[in-house]
Amino acid sequence: MKTVPVWLIDAFSDRNFAGNPAAVCALEQWLPDEQLLQMAQQHNQSETAFFIPAKGGFELRWFTTRHEVNLCGHATLATAHVIFNHLDYPDARIHFDTLSGRLTVSREGDWLTLNFPAGPTVEQTPPAEMLAALGITQYVHARKGRAWLIELENRAQVEAITPNINAMIPVEHKVTITAKGTGDYDFVSRFFSPGEAVWEDPVTGSAHTMLIPYWSEKLGKTQMLARQVSARGGDVRGELQGNRVLMSGTAVTWMQGKILLRQ
């Protein structure tokens, strides 16, 4: 019998029952892809992160309950939290080799900063079926990148959305809705991805790779504080640096244990 250390981490939060939970598994070497997917399905989280030691850092992969994905922010933050806080990693920066290239996470106190490629978006007309499923009749702007980005008039409209997920077409209708923020927040957002078995994602790093450049241009600033206004909710400190996006957040451990793999 083989054992695999596992943690359940609430990412982009400073307390449990908030932010975005991710399972994190520390492997010595890669297991078959089918087994990794089965493990992710057993965990039944929006993402399970798997990592192994590598030259100069770690290799990192992310799985939903349906398949492997090429980028995930909150599970990367969760993995860095594990390596820094549970594996006593001595450096202030971790390098991850991923399907999206080399990603870096740095530590400053309790805050961890992801360094990801910025996500470009272009103006497009959104599908009428998606707008209808979201219950959106009017919007300010619509753009398309890794996912749809729909700007609404204000935060209240974003919070009031109650989508008909079953009416959304998987993959095509992956969408973040956003609006200018209130108080200390520069902007707010929510994210829906029925194609990834994620009806509403609590806090979405990959969406902020699009949101931060978008709002940077609109607001004329490079440093911003964002709030994802899902039921669990979470804060993201964002910064645009050329073609890179910095996303900072905190994370807390909910559970740790061992997986018993029977050969």
Side-chain angles (χ1 to χ4, degrees):
M1 184 180 296
K2 188 174 185 178
T3 62
V4 173
V6 61
W7 296 262
L8 189 59
I9 307 297
D10 290 326
F12 291 112
S13 178
D14 59 1
R15 57 186 176 87
N16 290 127
F17 311 115
N20 201 350
V24 179
C25 299
L27 304 176
E28 296 176 358
Q29 59 188 13
W30 289 120
L31 300 172
D33 288 5
E34 181 182 1
Q35 191 169 21
L36 296 180
L37 179 58
Q38 290 173 334
M39 292 167 69
Q41 292 169 339
Q42 182 84 344
H43 299 149
N44 199 30
Q45 300 298 314
S46 63
E47 300 282 350
T48 295
F50 300 93
F51 70 93
I52 63 171
K55 185 176 181 180
F58 302 88
E59 293 179 15
L60 175 63
R61 297 171 69 182
W62 313 277
F63 282 77
T64 71
T65 57
R66 291 188 178 176
H67 48 232
E68 184 173 10
V69 298
N70 63 9
L71 187 68
C72 180
H74 85 277
T76 303
L77 187 75
T79 303
H81 172 83
V82 165
I83 293 171
F84 279 131
N85 294 281
H86 295 285
L87 302 183
D88 299 322
Y89 193 70
D91 298 336
R93 183 177 288 113
I94 300 172
H95 297 291
F96 291 112
D97 290 321
T98 77
L99 289 177
S100 289
R102 172 156 282 203
L103 306 177
T104 301
V105 183
S106 56
R107 172 176 57 178
E108 185 174 349
D110 292 333
W111 284 80
L112 304 178
T113 299
L114 312 176
N115 187 323
F116 276 26
T121 57
V122 295
E123 200 84 19
Q124 284 193 27
T125 300
E129 299 88 349
M130 183 180 73
L131 296 177
L134 291 168
I136 294 175
T137 56
Q138 291 184 319
Y139 59 87
V140 178
H141 291 291
R143 300 182 69 88
K144 181 75 178 291
R146 291 181 53 86
W148 284 99
L149 187 158
I150 310 293
E151 182 189 349
L152 302 184
E153 185 66 32
N154 53 55
R155 173 173 177 162
Q157 290 181 357
V158 173
E159 292 178 330
I161 291 293
T162 54
N164 178 358
I165 293 292
N166 291 328
M168 297 177 71
I169 300 172
V171 182
E172 173 61 20
H173 290 176
K174 181 161 63 173
V175 58
T176 182
I177 57 173
T178 186
K180 189 174 181 180
T182 57
D184 293 334
Y185 295 109
D186 292 288
F187 64 88
V188 298
S189 68
R190 291 171 68 188
F191 184 79
F192 306 97
S193 183
E196 305 289 357
V198 180
W199 287 11
E200 178 169 5
D201 200 36
V203 191
T204 315
S206 60
H208 281 80
T209 65
M210 301 185 305
L211 289 164
I212 290 169
Y214 177 78
W215 283 106
S216 176
E217 182 178 357
K218 288 207 69 168
L219 300 176
K221 58 195 303 187
T222 57
Q223 296 185 5
M224 289 154 282
L225 178 62
R227 177 75 179 176
Q228 194 151 331
V229 290
S230 62
R232 290 174 64 100
D235 289 352
V236 180
R237 292 178 183 171
E239 182 176 352
L240 182 64
Q241 290 188 350
N243 63 355
R244 305 292 294 184
V245 166
L246 304 185
M247 298 174 289
S248 301
T250 56
V252 289
T253 302
W254 165 246
M255 180 181 68
Q256 66 181 71
K258 291 183 178 179
I259 299 169
L260 305 180
L261 291 180
R262 293 168 175 80
Q263 305 299 318

